[in-house]
Amino acid sequence: FSAVGITKDGISTFHEDHAGFLKEVLETAAKACLLIDSGKFGRSGIFEISPLAGIDRIISDEKCPFHAK
């Protein structure tokens, strides 16, 4: 999945419906993979999608400073 931002507090978006939909998807997913570009590191939206602990893998053009996995 994708999002508008990622911080040490988690992954978020500006759209409430998008956040709700992705939360439902992540509840049933075997693994959670986030596809996000480094320009979104340190940015956040209004609605939380997931805490970082819920993400198995981050795919990005740079190493994410907030994700230790």
Side-chain angles (χ1 to χ4, degrees), residues 46-57:
I46 299 169
F47 302 99
E48 182 185 88
I49 297 170
S50 173
L52 290 179
I55 305 305
D56 297 297
R57 177 172 292 192

Side-chain angles (χ1 to χ4, degrees), residues 6-11 34 50-56 58 64 66-69:
I6 181 171
T7 67
K8 64 178 178 53
D9 297 320
I11 298 135
L34 174 67
S50 173
L52 290 179
I55 305 305
D56 297 297
I58 294 178
C64 181
F66 309 112
H67 195 252
K69 289 185 182 179

Side-chain angles (χ1 to χ4, degrees), residues 9-36:
D9 297 320
I11 298 135
S12 59
T13 185
F14 289 122
H15 305 283
E16 186 174 16
D17 291 340
H18 185 229
F21 169 75
L22 288 176
K23 284 180 182 184
E24 287 181 27
V25 169
L26 292 173
E27 286 176 5
T28 60
K31 290 197 176 229
C33 297
L34 174 67
L35 177 62
I36 195 163

